[in-house]
Amino acid sequence: MSTLDVSTTQIEKLSTKAYELGIEYAPKLALAIVTLLIGLWVISMICKVIRLSMEHSKVDPTLIPFMTSLASWVLKVLLFISVASMIGIATTSFVAVLGAAGLAIGLALQGSLANFAGGVLIMVFKPYKVGDLIESQGHLGVVKEVQIFNTILIAPQSKRVIIPNGATSNDSITNYTVEGKIRVDLTIGVSYDADIDQTKAVLMDVLLANDKVMQTPAPFVGVLEMGDSSVNFAVRPHCDPKDYWDVFFSVNEELKKALDRNAISIPFPQRDVHLIQA
């Protein structure tokens, strides 16, 4: 048999094999392509529904693109695995490798994943929002931004404080804004010679005259304690959280002026010393 005859025979065998493979796999390939196209369209529709649902539910706008993107990637990975299985590609080992890689990445980034989960919880349940005055992780400040991994506060000293969302979502949060009012706690000491009823009236008049002090709930003035050198009064006005520092400083100033006008003295700490001569 000549070399030409051998080559012709091999070509015929390869052609026959290719034809058989085409007959066997062409329907599977066509079905896989149709499934892929339809699947991608369905995924886009699902993501659109998720986005619209979250928008109608008034979910924080920062959360919407993250959740739709996450849903899109998860569904696409599942679709590609299904399509690969349809055309005969063994996906068992692929899934195992993907799972192992996911586990390794999860362990390496567990802190970041915890912060991501915390950010999602904060955006969904909204224990606070931008503009709220909160206290968390030992920090007090106004929320400037809620990011997916961190919450950014502006502290009273104009410091920028970045708090991980994972720690925040798993710890106590004090929100001073959500109730729409905050109490300002002041303590004023006067002389033991001062008339208690007059002093209370003077202090209360200052609170009632301040336009940033709320009348509901009513401001309170009462004797707090008998101190070493003074009778201490608790002065408790309520105000809008955004006016806290204005009320704190202005009321303190007006209280001092009112006490001076009414000749009510604020004593200095004093101590009697008795000398015994030998």
Side-chain angles (χ1 to χ4, degrees):
M1 182 179 293
S2 65
T3 304
L4 180 60
D5 293 335
V6 172
S7 299
T8 303
T9 303
Q10 290 177 343
I11 291 174
E12 290 178 351
K13 288 182 179 180
L14 290 175
S15 300
T16 303
K17 186 64 175 178
Y19 177 76
E20 292 175 353
L21 290 175
I23 294 296
E24 180 180 358
Y25 286 100
K28 295 181 179 180
L29 182 59
L31 181 60
I33 293 174
V34 172
T35 302
L36 179 63
L37 296 176
I38 295 176
L40 291 174
W41 179 81
V42 170
I43 289 173
S44 67
M45 292 297 102
I46 292 174
C47 292
K48 184 178 295 184
V49 170
I50 292 174
R51 184 175 65 255
L52 293 175
S53 299
M54 296 179 74
E55 289 175 352
H56 291 156
S57 301
K58 297 181 179 180
V59 175
D60 193 295
T62 310
L63 178 61
I64 296 175
F66 283 96
M67 293 302 295
T68 53
S69 177
L70 180 63
S72 175
W73 279 108
V74 170
L75 292 174
K76 285 178 180 177
V77 168
L78 295 176
L79 174 63
F80 290 140
I81 292 175
S82 300
V83 170
S85 178
M86 290 176 63
I87 60 179
I89 299 176
T91 57
T92 304
S93 58
F94 174 75
V95 172
V97 171
L98 186 64
L103 178 61
I105 294 172
L107 291 174
L109 301 176
Q110 56 183 335
S112 297
L113 293 176
N115 291 333
F116 174 84
V120 172
L121 292 175
I122 290 170
M123 292 178 183
V124 171
F125 295 105
K126 295 184 177 179
Y128 54 82
K129 62 183 185 301
V130 173
D132 284 358
L133 175 65
I134 70 168
E135 185 175 1
S136 180
Q137 298 292 304
H139 298 284
L140 173 71
V142 176
V143 179
K144 180 181 180 181
E145 189 176 352
V146 182
Q147 299 178 346
I148 198 63
F149 292 107
N150 304 299
T151 292
I152 299 176
L153 303 182
I154 302 299
Q157 301 85 1
S158 296
K159 296 178 181 178
R160 183 184 178 96
V161 181
I162 302 175
I163 305 177
N165 285 334
T168 303
S169 62
N170 289 306
D171 197 6
S172 60
I173 302 170
T174 303
N175 191 324
Y176 295 99
T177 301
V178 68
E179 294 298 326
K181 59 182 179 294
I182 186 172
R183 193 180 75 181
V184 181
D185 291 355
L186 302 172
T187 301
I188 303 298
V190 301
S191 170
Y192 271 93
D193 295 332
D195 182 87
I196 289 181
D197 293 332
Q198 179 194 12
T199 302
K200 288 179 64 176
V202 169
L203 298 178
M204 181 60 74
D205 287 343
V206 171
L207 299 182
L208 296 176
N210 192 307
D211 59 356
K212 291 187 177 180
V213 171
M214 292 181 173
Q215 304 308 310
T216 304
F220 171 81
V221 176
V223 176
L224 177 64
E225 64 178 352
M226 306 298 181
D228 292 338
S229 304
S230 62
V231 179
N232 296 325
F233 285 80
V235 181
R236 303 288 186 262
H238 284 79
C239 67
D240 191 294
K242 72 177 185 300
D243 296 328
Y244 179 86
W245 292 111
D246 288 340
V247 171
F248 181 89
F249 292 115
S250 64
V251 168
N252 258 322
E253 181 178 337
E254 292 303 320
L255 288 174
K256 175 62 168 64
K257 292 178 180 178
L259 292 175
D260 290 343
R261 285 194 302 268
N262 290 271
I264 300 174
S265 63
I266 301 176
F268 296 98
Q270 54 188 338
R271 187 182 304 272
D272 293 334
V273 179
H274 301 276
L275 299 178
I276 301 177
Q277 295 181 350

